[in-house]
Amino acid sequence: MQQISGARTLHRLIYCSRQRIAPHDLDHEVGEIIRASIRKNREVNLTGLLLVHQGYFVQSLEGPAEAVLTTYRRINDDPRHAECKVLSAGPAGAREFGDWNMCARGMSAADDAILRTLGQRETFTPESLSARAALRLLKTVRGIQSRTQLRAML
Ligand SMILES: Cc1cc2nc3c(=O)[nH]c(=O)nc-3n(C[C@H](O)[C@H](O)[C@H](O)COP(=O)(O)O)c2cc1C
Protein backbone atom coordinates (compact mmCIF):
# COMPACT_ATOMS: atom_id res chain seq x y z
CA MET A 1 0.00 0.00 0.00
CA GLN A 2 2.90 2.27 0.85
CA GLN A 3 4.23 1.91 -2.69
CA ILE A 4 0.85 2.68 -4.25
CA SER A 5 0.35 5.85 -2.23
CA GLY A 6 3.97 6.83 -3.04
CA ALA A 7 3.23 6.43 -6.72
CA ARG A 8 0.30 8.80 -6.37
CA THR A 9 2.21 11.51 -4.53
CA LEU A 10 3.04 14.60 -6.55
CA HIS A 11 6.55 14.37 -7.96
CA ARG A 12 8.68 16.78 -9.93
CA LEU A 13 11.61 15.96 -12.19
CA ILE A 14 13.79 18.57 -13.87
CA TYR A 15 16.35 17.58 -16.48
CA CYS A 16 18.43 19.27 -19.13
CA SER A 17 19.59 17.93 -22.49
CA ARG A 18 21.36 19.02 -25.67
CA GLN A 19 19.16 19.65 -28.70
CA ARG A 20 19.76 17.42 -31.71
CA ILE A 21 17.60 19.39 -34.14
CA ALA A 22 18.83 21.41 -37.13
CA PRO A 23 18.34 25.12 -36.35
CA HIS A 24 15.95 25.66 -39.27
CA ASP A 25 13.73 22.79 -37.98
CA LEU A 26 13.71 23.90 -34.35
CA ASP A 27 10.45 25.88 -34.30
CA HIS A 28 8.61 23.19 -36.20
CA GLU A 29 9.96 20.32 -34.07
CA VAL A 30 9.30 22.13 -30.78
CA GLY A 31 5.75 22.71 -32.01
CA GLU A 32 5.40 18.97 -32.70
CA ILE A 33 6.85 18.09 -29.29
CA ILE A 34 4.42 20.41 -27.52
CA ARG A 35 1.43 19.15 -29.48
CA ALA A 36 2.22 15.51 -28.60
CA SER A 37 3.12 16.44 -25.01
CA ILE A 38 -0.13 18.29 -24.30
CA ARG A 39 -2.17 15.36 -25.60
CA LYS A 40 -0.25 12.70 -23.68
CA ASN A 41 0.40 14.68 -20.49
CA ARG A 42 -3.27 15.56 -20.15
CA GLU A 43 -4.11 11.84 -20.07
CA VAL A 44 -1.79 11.19 -17.12
CA ASN A 45 -2.23 14.49 -15.26
CA LEU A 46 1.25 15.82 -15.97
CA THR A 47 2.06 19.52 -16.09
CA GLY A 48 5.30 21.29 -16.86
CA LEU A 49 7.41 23.76 -18.76
CA LEU A 50 10.06 23.35 -21.45
CA LEU A 51 12.79 25.96 -21.81
CA VAL A 52 14.42 26.02 -25.25
CA HIS A 53 17.63 28.01 -25.05
CA GLN A 54 21.05 28.11 -26.69
CA GLY A 55 21.09 24.50 -27.90
CA TYR A 56 19.63 23.13 -24.67
CA PHE A 57 16.30 21.93 -23.37
CA VAL A 58 15.49 22.31 -19.67
CA GLN A 59 12.19 20.71 -18.74
CA SER A 60 10.12 20.25 -15.63
CA LEU A 61 7.65 17.37 -15.42
CA GLU A 62 5.29 17.23 -12.47
CA GLY A 63 2.47 14.88 -11.59
CA PRO A 64 1.96 11.40 -10.16
CA ALA A 65 5.36 9.70 -9.67
CA GLU A 66 4.64 6.86 -12.06
CA ALA A 67 3.52 9.22 -14.85
CA VAL A 68 6.60 11.40 -14.36
CA LEU A 69 8.97 8.44 -14.58
CA THR A 70 7.24 6.69 -17.50
CA THR A 71 7.14 9.93 -19.47
CA TYR A 72 10.74 10.80 -18.66
CA ARG A 73 11.91 7.37 -19.87
CA ARG A 74 10.10 7.92 -23.18
CA ILE A 75 11.50 11.44 -23.53
CA ASN A 76 14.99 10.15 -22.71
CA ASP A 77 14.85 7.83 -25.75
CA ASP A 78 13.83 10.63 -28.11
CA PRO A 79 16.52 11.23 -30.79
CA ARG A 80 15.67 14.95 -30.97
CA HIS A 81 17.96 15.48 -27.99
CA ALA A 82 20.82 13.75 -26.17
CA GLU A 83 22.83 13.83 -22.95
CA CYS A 84 19.78 14.03 -20.71
CA LYS A 85 20.86 14.86 -17.19
CA VAL A 86 18.44 14.83 -14.25
CA LEU A 87 18.97 17.98 -12.17
CA SER A 88 16.27 17.38 -9.60
CA ALA A 89 13.75 14.63 -8.84
CA GLY A 90 11.51 13.83 -5.92
CA PRO A 91 8.26 14.56 -4.10
CA ALA A 92 6.88 18.08 -4.46
CA GLY A 93 4.47 19.90 -2.18
CA ALA A 94 2.52 21.61 -4.94
CA ARG A 95 2.55 22.08 -8.69
CA GLU A 96 4.66 25.00 -9.90
CA PHE A 97 3.65 24.70 -13.56
CA GLY A 98 0.00 23.71 -13.14
CA ASP A 99 -1.17 26.14 -15.84
CA TRP A 100 0.24 24.03 -18.65
CA ASN A 101 0.12 20.35 -19.64
CA MET A 102 3.25 21.51 -21.44
CA CYS A 103 4.44 24.85 -22.70
CA ALA A 104 7.64 25.77 -24.53
CA ARG A 105 9.46 29.03 -24.01
CA GLY A 106 12.49 30.42 -25.80
CA MET A 107 14.46 33.30 -24.34
CA SER A 108 14.93 36.67 -26.00
CA ALA A 109 17.96 38.92 -25.62
CA ALA A 110 16.11 40.83 -22.86
CA ASP A 111 15.34 37.56 -21.07
CA ASP A 112 19.03 36.64 -21.35
CA ALA A 113 19.74 39.40 -18.86
CA ILE A 114 17.57 37.55 -16.35
CA LEU A 115 19.55 34.37 -16.91
CA ARG A 116 22.76 36.26 -16.28
CA THR A 117 21.46 37.51 -12.96
CA LEU A 118 20.61 33.90 -12.11
CA GLY A 119 24.29 33.05 -12.47
CA GLN A 120 24.09 31.60 -15.98
CA ARG A 121 26.62 34.13 -17.23
CA GLU A 122 27.75 34.40 -20.85
CA THR A 123 27.34 30.78 -21.80
CA PHE A 124 24.30 28.84 -20.73
CA THR A 125 25.41 25.66 -18.92
CA PRO A 126 22.30 24.15 -17.33
CA GLU A 127 24.08 20.85 -16.57
CA SER A 128 25.95 22.69 -13.81
CA LEU A 129 22.77 23.87 -12.05
CA SER A 130 21.93 22.65 -8.57
CA ALA A 131 18.42 21.27 -7.97
CA ARG A 132 17.39 24.57 -6.34
CA ALA A 133 18.86 26.72 -9.09
CA ALA A 134 17.20 24.60 -11.79
CA LEU A 135 13.79 25.11 -10.19
CA ARG A 136 14.52 28.83 -9.71
CA LEU A 137 15.43 29.11 -13.39
CA LEU A 138 12.20 27.47 -14.56
CA LYS A 139 10.12 29.52 -12.12
CA THR A 140 11.67 32.66 -13.58
CA VAL A 141 10.80 31.45 -17.08
CA ARG A 142 7.27 30.70 -15.80
CA GLY A 143 6.97 34.31 -14.66
CA ILE A 144 8.04 35.61 -18.07
CA GLN A 145 5.64 33.22 -19.82
CA SER A 146 2.69 34.15 -17.60
CA ARG A 147 3.30 37.89 -18.09
CA THR A 148 3.55 37.46 -21.86
CA GLN A 149 0.32 35.43 -21.93
CA LEU A 150 -1.43 38.05 -19.84
CA ARG A 151 -0.28 40.86 -22.15
CA ALA A 152 -1.53 38.90 -25.16
CA MET A 153 -4.97 38.67 -23.54
CA LEU A 154 -5.25 42.38 -22.69
C1 LIG B 1 12.71 17.94 -25.21
C2 LIG B 1 11.53 17.01 -25.33
C3 LIG B 1 10.48 17.12 -24.43
C4 LIG B 1 9.38 16.26 -24.51
N1 LIG B 1 8.37 16.36 -23.59
C5 LIG B 1 7.36 15.46 -23.60
C6 LIG B 1 6.34 15.50 -22.61
O1 LIG B 1 6.31 16.33 -21.71
N2 LIG B 1 5.36 14.55 -22.68
C7 LIG B 1 5.33 13.61 -23.67
O2 LIG B 1 4.42 12.79 -23.66
N3 LIG B 1 6.26 13.59 -24.64
C8 LIG B 1 7.27 14.48 -24.64
N4 LIG B 1 8.22 14.46 -25.62
C9 LIG B 1 8.00 13.58 -26.79
C10 LIG B 1 8.31 12.13 -26.51
O3 LIG B 1 9.70 11.93 -26.59
C11 LIG B 1 7.58 11.26 -27.56
O4 LIG B 1 7.97 11.62 -28.85
C12 LIG B 1 6.06 11.43 -27.46
O5 LIG B 1 5.64 11.28 -26.14
C13 LIG B 1 5.32 10.41 -28.34
O6 LIG B 1 5.63 9.14 -27.93
P1 LIG B 1 5.04 7.86 -28.72
O7 LIG B 1 5.50 8.01 -30.14
O8 LIG B 1 5.66 6.69 -28.02
O9 LIG B 1 3.56 7.94 -28.58
C14 LIG B 1 9.34 15.29 -25.54
C15 LIG B 1 10.41 15.19 -26.44
C16 LIG B 1 11.49 16.04 -26.35
C17 LIG B 1 12.62 15.91 -27.32
Side-chain angles (χ1 to χ4, degrees):
M1 283 310 277
Q2 194 56 40
Q3 226 179 350
I4 292 171
S5 76
R8 284 185 182 162
T9 311
L10 182 68
H11 270 59
R12 183 180 308 112
L13 182 150
I14 301 177
Y15 74 90
C16 68
S17 62
R18 306 294 294 250
Q19 295 166 13
R20 288 284 178 268
I21 300 171
H24 63 274
D25 287 336
L26 188 62
D27 284 355
H28 172 75
E29 284 299 331
V30 169
E32 292 293 307
I33 288 168
I34 294 303
R35 236 188 311 280
S37 299
I38 289 173
R39 183 170 43 82
K40 295 190 89 100
N41 293 353
R42 194 178 281 150
E43 285 169 10
V44 292
N45 204 12
L46 274 190
T47 51
L49 183 63
L50 175 67
L51 169 63
V52 183
H53 188 64
Q54 287 190 6
Y56 284 94
F57 292 119
V58 184
Q59 186 175 27
S60 168
L61 299 166
E62 55 189 19
E66 202 181 302
V68 169
L69 288 179
T70 308
T71 303
Y72 177 66
R73 282 199 203 103
R74 199 170 62 243
I75 294 172
N76 197 48
D77 286 342
D78 195 309
R80 290 173 287 191
H81 62 172
E83 299 172 49
C84 290
K85 181 183 175 194
V86 174
L87 301 172
S88 156
R95 289 182 192 260
E96 293 288 358
F97 308 97
D99 284 352
W100 307 290
N101 282 114
M102 192 49 62
C103 166
R105 176 77 206 192
M107 302 289 278
S108 68
D111 299 332
D112 264 351
I114 295 169
L115 286 180
R116 279 198 295 282
T117 63
L118 285 173
Q120 289 288 297
R121 303 185 192 309
E122 301 316 317
T123 42
F124 185 54
T125 51
E127 58 272 70
S128 68
L129 289 170
S130 67
R132 274 182 63 175
L135 180 59
R136 197 155 59 101
L137 167 66
L138 289 180
K139 283 167 78 170
T140 303
V141 175
R142 176 193 69 188
I144 297 170
Q145 178 64 16
S146 301
R147 280 196 297 280
T148 319
Q149 273 184 342
L150 194 62
R151 267 204 301 276
M153 282 164 61
L154 293 175

